[in-house]
Amino acid sequence: MTGAAINLLLVIPFLVLAFFLSRGKGAFLIAGYNTMPKEEKAKYDEVALCKFMGKILYGISLSMVLLSLSEWLAIPALLWVGIALMTGLIIFTLVYLNTGNRFKK
């Protein structure tokens, strides 16, 4: 029971960050982007990248809620759905960001 409560408490910062990013702000929170020189950053659409990462964080937050609910309600199927959702989102994000020049200006 306490593990589910801790997981739900961890969802709150993810939702705050997702909201912040989905507004098109907070690019300094995106790993890799914040370490680029200013000349490289100028080549990217910062607002679109932030909005995309915000949507991904909303999905990860949902998967974390499913993981917590699976423990709290003792429904193992929710655990597997949460794991599949999180894994799928991470793989999709890695492939989507690293193929093509989607966020270049």
Side-chain angles (χ1 to χ4, degrees):
M1 238 1 163
T2 59
I6 291 171
N7 284 343
L8 285 176
L9 285 175
L10 288 174
V11 169
I12 294 169
F14 275 84
L15 288 174
V16 170
L17 291 173
F19 178 75
F20 191 57
L21 285 167
S22 66
R23 307 280 290 179
K25 299 178 169 53
F28 66 92
L29 297 170
I30 301 172
Y33 182 78
N34 63 353
T35 60
M36 285 183 186
K38 289 186 182 193
E39 303 84 39
E40 276 294 310
K41 286 182 183 180
K43 296 178 184 177
Y44 289 90
D45 184 358
E46 187 174 299
V47 174
L49 181 61
C50 287
K51 287 183 178 185
F52 174 75
M53 291 307 296
K55 291 173 187 175
I56 295 299
L57 274 178
Y58 280 127
I60 289 175
S61 299
L62 174 65
S63 68
M64 289 173 67
V65 168
L66 291 175
L67 295 174
S68 298
L69 286 176
S70 74
E71 184 177 342
W72 191 37
L73 301 175
I75 302 174
L78 286 177
L79 174 73
W80 294 111
V81 170
I83 290 172
L85 177 63
M86 188 177 293
T87 304
L89 275 170
I90 291 170
I91 291 170
F92 167 75
T93 303
L94 290 172
V95 170
Y96 189 78
L97 288 175
N98 290 310
T99 56
N101 295 321
R102 289 176 173 79
F103 297 107
K104 290 222 177 179
K105 288 184 182 177

